[in-house]
Amino acid sequence: MRHFLPFILTACMACALHAQHNAVTKEQAAIIREISAASAKIVSMESDFVQTKYITMLNDKLVSKGKIRFQQPDKLLWEYTTPYTYSFIINNNKIKIRNNNRTDIIDSNHNKVFKEISRLMMMTVRGNSLTDDKVFDVTVKSEKKAQGKGQEYQAILVPKRKEMKQLWNRLVLHFDVANKILSTIEMFEKNGDHTIIEMQHVVLNKAIDSNVFNVD
């Protein structure tokens, strides 16, 4: 499950950000429009990431690194490269999980958990999540950056579904004000653990070799 958390969040975050709420303020609506407009222009994305997991019980942290590749409308690769190798690929309705020498291929139509993951991903990339507020309660705002100068947009996501509530208290997404691109993800878990994922060297709308999404 620890490997699936970032992927599930990535699949859900556009659903949450595009959700329309009766109590949304003019400022929140404006921020959501800006982020939505920027997201709509993304055909593909490549990025490095650094994931730091703070473990409350052990008073310790685990750092891992990897790469993300995304291609509209239905292809995603989330790959850990350090200190272990692990990858999760979604291509249409098929999902491939590679862990060292083991490879599993799953038809999401025959698995409830992975079907939900795929459903959320498809809602995101096809743009039909614009009125979906069933996954998270969302608050968006402009805040000063924790480090350095300048402002950033923050989206605070509080899970509404039972399955999500069992994992997280809240999720916080940080967006760069200049380009409206996701820069940092924070996940606050029920057990007190805290995970930060920092996106680095983001490249948008560059052609990606289709072989990286191969699930056969």
Side-chain angles (χ1 to χ4, degrees):
M1 180 57 71
R2 71 182 183 188
H3 300 293
F4 299 151
L5 295 181
F7 173 77
I8 295 172
L9 175 58
T10 303
C12 294
M13 67 184 180
C15 296
L17 287 173
H18 294 319
Q20 302 297 311
H21 302 276
N22 293 330
V24 70
T25 66
K26 290 183 178 180
E27 179 186 12
Q28 289 177 322
I31 293 173
I32 291 173
R33 284 196 300 270
E34 289 185 34
I35 295 173
S36 299
S39 298
K41 297 177 183 179
I42 298 176
V43 177
S44 67
M45 181 190 78
E46 293 184 76
S47 176
D48 298 329
F49 70 85
V50 178
Q51 178 177 308
T52 306
K53 184 178 181 66
Y54 296 89
I55 304 173
T56 302
M57 183 176 296
L58 301 178
N59 192 26
D60 197 5
K61 65 180 182 181
L62 300 174
V63 178
S64 52
K65 299 180 181 181
K67 295 181 178 293
I68 303 168
R69 293 183 177 89
F70 170 73
Q71 178 74 55
Q72 288 275 20
D74 55 14
K75 298 178 177 65
L76 178 77
L77 167 65
W78 191 291
E79 182 179 25
Y80 290 88
T81 56
T82 305
Y84 52 83
T85 58
Y86 183 96
S87 65
F88 186 100
I89 303 172
I90 181 170
N91 189 332
N92 198 2
N93 293 322
K94 286 188 177 181
I95 296 169
K96 177 189 283 187
I97 301 170
R98 292 184 298 200
N99 187 3
N100 294 323
N101 295 324
R102 175 173 175 174
T103 299
D104 294 302
I105 298 177
I106 300 167
D107 185 337
S108 62
N109 288 323
H110 299 151
N111 185 294
K112 184 177 180 180
V113 173
F114 288 102
K115 184 175 182 179
E116 179 68 5
I117 295 173
S118 297
R119 185 187 71 82
L120 290 168
M121 187 63 184
M122 294 308 102
M123 286 176 63
T124 300
V125 298
R126 291 173 181 168
N128 57 354
S129 59
L130 299 180
T131 57
D132 191 328
D133 60 356
K134 297 178 181 179
V135 180
F136 297 103
D137 280 324
V138 185
T139 302
V140 293
K141 58 184 179 179
S142 177
E143 287 282 339
K144 289 184 179 180
K145 293 182 179 179
Q147 297 179 348
K149 299 180 180 179
Q151 297 286 119
E152 67 177 8
Y153 292 147
Q154 291 184 11
I156 301 171
L157 286 58
V158 178
K160 298 178 72 172
R161 290 184 175 176
K162 180 180 178 181
E163 294 79 7
M164 296 289 185
K165 288 181 178 180
Q166 292 174 347
L167 296 173
W168 301 307
N169 285 322
R170 70 187 185 281
L171 315 168
V172 182
L173 312 182
H174 301 256
F175 292 84
D176 185 272
V177 170
N179 56 25
K180 318 302 182 297
I181 294 175
L182 183 69
S183 60
T184 305
I185 302 165
E186 293 185 273
M187 300 181 287
F188 297 86
E189 299 176 36
K190 295 289 289 185
N191 63 4
D193 291 352
H194 176 206
T195 300
I196 300 176
I197 301 173
E198 298 174 274
M199 314 292 280
Q200 300 178 341
H201 313 121
V202 178
V203 177
L204 300 178
N205 300 332
K206 178 183 176 181
I208 300 176
D209 185 351
S210 61
N211 289 327
V212 305
F213 303 112
N214 182 27
V215 294
D216 296 325

